[in-house]
Structures are given as C-alpha cells and as structure tokens.
Amino acid sequence: MTAAPGRRSSTFTRLLRHGFTDISAAERLLEGPELSPVRSDPILLEALGATADPDLALRGLVRLLEAQSDHTALRGLLDTLIAAKPLRDRLLGVLGASAALGEHLARHPRDWEALVTYEPRDLHPGVEEFERGLAEADDPVALRVAYRRCLLSIAARDVCGTTDVAETAAELADLATATLRAALRIAMAAAPQDAALCRLAVIAMGKCGGHELNYVSDVDVIFVGEAVEGADEGKALRAATKLASHMMRICSETTVEGSIWPVDANLRPEGRNGPLVRTLSSHLAYYQRWAKTWEFQALLKARPVAGDLALGTEYVAAVEPLVWKAAERENFVVDVQKMRRRVVENIPAAEVERELKLGPGGLRDVEFAVQLLQLVHGRSDASLRSGTTLDALQALAAGGYVGRADAVQLDDAYRFLRSMEHRIQLYRLRRTHLVPEAEDDQRRIGRSLGLRTDPVAELNREWKRHAAVVRRLHEKIFYRPLLDAVAQLATGEARLSLEAARERLVALGYADPASALRHLEALASGVTRKAAIQRTLLPVLLAWFADSADPDAGLLNFRKVSDALGKTPWYLRLLRDEGAAAENLARVLSAGRLAPDLLLRAPEAVALLGDGDGDGGGLQPRGRAQLEQEILATVGRAENAEQAVTAARGVRRRELFRTAAGDIVSSYGTETQPAEPDQGALVDRVGAAVSDLTAATLAGTLRAVVREGWGDTLPTRFAVIGMGRFGGHELGYGSDADVLFVHEPREGVDEREASETASRVVAEMRRLLQIPSADPPLLVDADLRPEGKSGPLVRTLKSYEAYYRRWSLVWESQALLRAEPVAGDEELGRRFIELVDPLRYPAEGLGEDAVREIRRLKARMESERMPRGADPKLHTKLGPGGLSDVEWTVQLLQLRHGWAEPGLRTTRTRQALGAACAAGLISAEDAETLDEAWVLATRVRNAVMLVRGRAGDTFPSESRELTAVGRYLGYGPGRVGELLDGYRRTARRARGVVDQLFYGV
C-alpha cells in the first residue's frame, strides 16, 4: 500500500531534518523487515541523525541486522540498541563514520558485543588490555580480525567524544604495540629454532614511537638483534632477520580481512639499502660516523615496544646522548629546514592545496617546529625530551621557549588538523592525508567534528583558519622568544633565558650570538610605539636573515638602517603595512655588502622596497630617458659643477641600489614571488640598467662641466662613445666605463683651442666623477683609444679617421664592435659610428692573416694576463669557457660575416650570438652552450660584487662569501660543491665549442 501524501511529506521532512540526504533509500530501509520492531521508536531516528552520516549509519545498521545468525541474536541486538543509549551512540557513531568498520561488522556480526559494556579500565585501555584482546589470535588472519575488533572500541570512544584526539592517537599507538608483539609471537612460534638463537628488539619510531599514531599509518620500526649467549653472531642475525621479516609480512599482507598496516623499517641505518637487523654496536658505529641530521631528528621518538625489551631499552639509552648533541652539528637548522622544504617541493602540484599533513600550514609544520626546538634546547633541559608532539609543545611553553599564547593556538590547530586526518582515514581505513574534494565526504567530516549548521562551509573555513595559524607560527616560534629574552616582560611570565637564546641563535646560523642579542635588545626593548612595532616585525625578519648566508650581517645592517630612520614616521609603517617591503629589506640586507653599503649611505632608499606601482614595483629599473631627465634637472638646479655632479652621483647611487636590490630579490625569490627562472633575462636587465645609468650620469656630468666653464655651448662639438661592456649594454656593478672621447671644432674655431677645450672637459669630468664622497666613484677608462695610454685622451673626428685609415690594427677593429654613442652631441656620435662601421664590419670579412692574428692575441692574453695562483677553470673572465672565450668567438663571427648579415651588427653579445645562430653560422646547440656559459660567468661576477662589495673575476675563498654567491645563483645551503662543479661543467662545454669555432680545432 502506498503511503498517504501527507504522511510521506511528513516523513520526508523528518528525515531531511535529521541529516539524511538520500531520502528515498532511507525510507525504504526504515520500512524494511529488519527494523520493523523498532521503526516507530523516535529514539532510533534521533540517534541516526546524530551521526556523521545518517545514510551510512542506517545502511550499516541494516546490514548488521541482516547478518545476525538467528532470531535470538537479532532480538538481543535490537533490544540493546533501543534500551542502552551508550551502546546505541557507540555503534551508530562508528557505523556513521566508517564504512570499513561497518563492513567488518557485517562479516563478523557478533563483534558489536565488544561495545556493549565499558569497564572503567576500558575508557583508556593500555597495551596490556589490548594484548588480552589479541591473545587468542594464533595466525595472521585471526590477528587481523582481533585487531579490527579492538579498533572498533577505539573508534567508538573517538566518535562519541569519550576520548580526545591525543588520547585516541595514544590508544592507537598502544594497539599497534600490542599488535607488533602478537605478530612477533606468531612469527617466533612458526620458527622456534630461529627464536632460540637470538634476542630481537623492535623499536617503534615516528608516530607509533611518539604515542600519536593515526588510524591508518605506516608503523615505522627499527630492529636491533643480538646473539644469545654461546650462539654465532652471524647465524643469530640471520635468524633475527627472518623473524623480523615474517613479523612485517603478518602485519602488512592483505587478505579478505584487509591488512593491519604496513610495517616500515626504512628509518634504519642506510635505509632500505642497509641490513634489516643490526647489532647495537653496529647501530652506534653508524650513528657516530655516518648519520645525517634527519636521522637524529627521527630518533627523538624511538621507543622499545616488542621483543626483547631490555635490549630495546639499552638501544634507546645508547642513542639518546647522540640525539641531544645533534644541534651542535654544522648546518643543523639548515639541514632540518631544507628537509622540510624538500617535503613540500615533492608534493604533486594538484594535491598541495588538499594536503593536510605535508602541505604548508599542515601537521608536519607543527611537528618540525616542535622537534627543532626540542633538539636545540633539549640538550640542557630534559623536560623537553618527549616523543609526543603536544606534550613537547606544552613543555616548550612552560619553559618559555615558545610563547604561551602561541603554544595554545598551535595546540588548537594541531588537534583540529589531526581530528580531520583521523576522520578522513576512518571512513575507508586507508592511508591518506588528502582532504577529499567530494561535497558528501566533506559533509561527513564536518558533521563528525560537530559542525552541523553548514558542515562543508564551516569545515573549510576552520581548516583554512587553522592552517594559516600554523603557517604564521611555524616561523614565529623560532624567533619570538629571542625578543622576549631581551625585552621587559610581565612579572612571572616565562621567557627564554639569555643562554638559551644564544644557543638558539647559534643553531640558526648566527656566528656572533652575543652581538645579535645586543642588536635585538636595542631594537625591541622599551615601551615606545617604535619598540612595539619592532617586536612585531623582528620574528619574521630574523627568519629571513637566518635563511641567508650571513644572518649576522643582515641583523646588524637592519639595526643600522633602523637607527638612521628611527624617527622617520613612514619607515616602520612601510615595513609593517606593505607586504613586500619587509621581506625585500631582509633579503637585501643579508645578501652581501654592496646593496647595504649603498642603502646605508642614504637610508631613505628603503622606500624603493615597497610594493610600488606596476609589475616589479619600486625595484623595476628605470629607463635611460627617465634617468637622464632627472639627472639633467638635478644638474640644472645646482650652483656649480661640483655640486651638480655630487647630486648626479647621488641619483646614480640610489639607482644602483634599486637595480642591485631588484636583482637580489629576483634571484633569491620571496614567499610571494618565486626566484626569476630566466637567468639570461636577469643578466640583460642588470646590464642594461647599469649601462643606462652610467650613460645618464656621464650626460649630466658633461652638462655640468660645460655649463660652468663655457655657458650653454662649447667651442667644439663633443661626444662620448661607449666601448667594451659599456657600449654593449653589459656593464656589471663593478665595471669601469670604457669610452672614447671625440670632438669636432665648430666653424671658425681654432683647432688648437678646440682640442684644449675638449681636453679640459674630459679632465674635469673624470675628476668630478672620482672625488671622494659618500657615493661610489664612476671610473672612466679611455685605454681603448688609438695608441692606448700613450695617445691623447680626446681626438677630432678627422684625427680618428686618419689614424684608423693608416695605423689601425685588427684588435682595434675588434674593439670597435662595441662602439656606441652614449653622451654628448648626437650627430657627432652618429658620424663616428659611420666612420668605424667599415672597420668593424670589413667588406668580404677578415682575411686569414687577420684571423690568425686574432687567435694569436687571444692565446697570448690567456697565458699572460691570468693572475698568478688563480685556478683557470674558475676564472670567469680569462678561464676556459669564460667571458673572454665566448665574446672573442662571437666577435670573430661578427668581423667575418657582419658585412653580409645585418643581424650581427650589434654591440650586444647575446644578440649577436642569436643572430649568428639564425644565420646558420653556429648550431642552435652550440649557441645555447655559449650563451649559458656567458650568462653564468656574468652572474658570478655580479654576485661577487654584490657579496664582497668589490669586483672580482673568481669565486671567493671565504666560505660565507662563497655560500652567499651560491645562494644568489640558486644553490641552497650546503651545495657549494655543486655550485663549483656546475660552473666547471658549463665552462668545459663552452670551451669545447670555442676550440671548434674560434681556434678551428
């Protein structure tokens, strides 16, 4: 009979109100024969509606009722279900949260009786209680069934709120301990002859060792074996290995009952490549000689759980002193942080936003932060030596190593994220840390956590909120207590001791912790608004400094800038309110000497580090026209030439800082902006910016000199021709400006007077650009002029023409390939270029004699100009595959083919190389090899200047400087060897191309 419409509508409303989503299926199951004795009881519907997934709970209940073997068993279950609220809540709670446990109950319908009564000891059963539950299991299948039965009781306490997430994790670890013991017992019973030969201890690691296991997780273990008295050690270890392997198979193999969980022994010495079982002495020998930092971090959670517990206890006691010395290892914190970054980098891009454990703001962030602080401070404070994350966090807060408010927030976030993880795994009893995308799954998880109004939206909101807290505190807790150690705190508030603060600074890479603490005290102490803002900024800044090659320099420079700008109202507001400014400043101040030196001479340039306008913000280099317009305007306002050039040099210093800072930020990357992947684009940007700035400065200096000495017009036309890297738009931070000076007397002016005037202009320009001041000098080098240092500094256009027609050598034609007007009379500059074009792009190309002469000059330069004691393979300019090799090869192609290939008529190396490839003069592979070598060598030279504050063509010998160069080039901490090997490899490949194309070998 069909239900009346009114009754059906009422049922629909009731089911919807109680959380059912598949109303038709729910109605059908409720009307079925299995529930006929109780369907009218409103208690059942209320209880189903209280579960995480009422539809799942109802389906599981019907299947359980169908599986009862006889009427008596069915009646007993129904009566108990209605009459006993605790059982009803436990059973339906499990059925509504776990499809896998519902299937287990359908296969083993009497196992529900494990939930009938709770003795006081059942509320928090220990290992012994679980061992009793597994005692009768004498084969792998029986063990799996007994394991699931025990798991039922844990899940019931969990979903009903009888235990919190930490207690549930501890119970799961205890059940795992009992299971390992039962599995080893079965393995030993199967091979008593092996068991008689050895002592075997099972050491739990990871979450099992830390008493914080998931529902489904690999159980990490290490095996320690010893021979019994009188037994041969080799035979004993082989026997122990067989037992350990059998025990692992019992737990890991999958049958109709599923598997228990994989047992993972890869945390053992040498990982999967090492022996499964070692003696205690073998373990110690490995840890003392070969172990990496992460292995000591893993040993934090080591705990003997099965087998010979005396041997296991001996193992833990033996390795414990090594664990608490791990923080004294070189690059300790760097190693830990690098491992954390590697974990994040290995997450598939499609999963990173759903990764609850490993992603940014996930569980691993909390665990890494806590473990790092334990290892740093646990050396002297035994109260921190807990393998359980939340217990350790509480101890860190009690000792002042983490702020109490931060610890509370981190505890809350960790508990919420672990609860999510538990509910996700409980559903299918599968090992996963990904938040499911399906709305039904998210609804079930949200309801299981008590989010009932809008479960999906509330779940995502809470998840994101807690993840954001973890991301923020993950870094803050390393550095905030350092400020508390030097700032005034409320009476009775725990804080990091000064000695503990020093230990933490050393571990984080600060070489002079005493000075660092003095800087922190100067910056953060007091009750002023300035000190309060500094206390907000410094935890994050300290993290960025510690991520650099020289944290001490970063902190010192920050103090200097803050002292200089401390009373400037916009300074701290800029760092606090503009997202990019603070991180950009930290990167710049800790990346070397050049940029901080430029900034400290005029600290107001900090304003450039803000978000700015447009792509690249305030660090985007300005164009030649903008620069020249500003410098000429500045010169026009000055009272005399010296003041004018001083002002122009001030603009140059500011713009050099802008370019250097932008280069550093693009090379290092920031949290919001990854490092620039196109290294060639970085090199081109820096080269063009510095070259444009140099040209604008020369133009301003020329205007100032002319205005003071001759008014608006010189008696001779005057132009500056850029040469070398200047003409090629490839200047580096430490490059001189190679130039030629050319003039032409105006009509009616005596040539002698014109020459004297031009010479005075050149002398005054060079003098003003090199006057000692707070601004870096601009060195003007005219050594590429005719007759070199012996020739006049400035010539007329006719004089150049006569010289080049009669005396020019092939090397001068080669040098003129880079000639380009940069300042002064534009028409005269254009005519100079017309004059030299036939020399640098000779008709029909170079003859063989000229080619041989160029090769001879190159070989001579390589042998004579290499500095004594320098490693040629690491010399970026003159070494094999260095700048000289690439540039001379490209220039030879230009000299030979420029007359016929217009694309080769450029002053820029990379453009000429691209044109040669397009013209078929060089293969694409060879062109790429030369380009890569040239870009790398140029970047090394720029890096050396940024790091050391002075130019250099070789890698620094001092380790911190070399590390800083490596960081600029994209090599993280501890990868200096890779940096040097990478350079040698790139240069070696380039030299092979040079030998073929330039020398014809």
Side-chain angles (χ1 to χ4, degrees), residues 900-920:
E901 294 292 343
L904 290 173
R905 299 171 201 167
T906 174
T907 62
R908 307 185 185 207
T909 301
R910 297 187 73 214
Q911 283 188 10
L913 183 58
C917 180

Side-chain angles (χ1 to χ4, degrees), residues 28-37 39 74 78:
R28 186 171 61 255
L29 292 173
L30 286 169
E31 293 294 330
E34 293 82 10
L35 291 175
S36 59
R39 73 166 59 98
L74 176 62
L78 289 171

Side-chain angles (χ1 to χ4, degrees), residues 376-439:
V376 170
H377 300 297
R379 293 175 291 173
S380 55
D381 188 345
S383 69
L384 306 180
R385 299 179 183 180
S386 170
T388 305
T389 300
L390 291 179
D391 290 349
L393 179 59
Q394 185 177 3
L396 287 164
Y401 304 100
V402 175
R404 284 196 175 93
D406 292 345
V408 168
Q409 290 187 65
L410 211 57
D411 184 284
D412 288 345
Y414 188 73
R415 288 175 185 274
F416 182 85
L417 296 174
R418 284 300 302 274
S419 295
M420 276 188 71
E421 182 183 44
H422 278 186
R423 297 299 192 269
I424 292 168
Q425 293 183 350
L426 183 59
Y427 178 54
R428 288 290 184 190
L429 288 182
R430 291 176 182 166
R431 182 178 180 270
T432 180
H433 313 289
L434 292 178
V435 177
E437 296 179 290
E439 185 172 317

Side-chain angles (χ1 to χ4, degrees), residues 94-95 97-107 147-149 151-156 215 426-429:
V94 169
L95 292 174
S98 178
L101 289 178
E103 291 166 2
H104 172 84
L105 284 171
R107 287 194 304 271
Y147 173 82
R148 290 289 175 95
R149 188 182 305 119
L151 197 63
L152 263 174
S153 64
I154 294 176
Y215 275 102
L426 183 59
Y427 178 54
R428 288 290 184 190
L429 288 182

Side-chain angles (χ1 to χ4, degrees), residues 617-639:
L619 297 182
Q620 194 72 12
R622 301 167 72 201
R624 166 76 181 272
Q626 282 182 293
L627 294 168
E628 193 163 319
Q629 182 181 18
E630 180 183 2
I631 287 177
L632 291 177
T634 300
V635 166
R637 292 191 295 268
E639 294 182 1

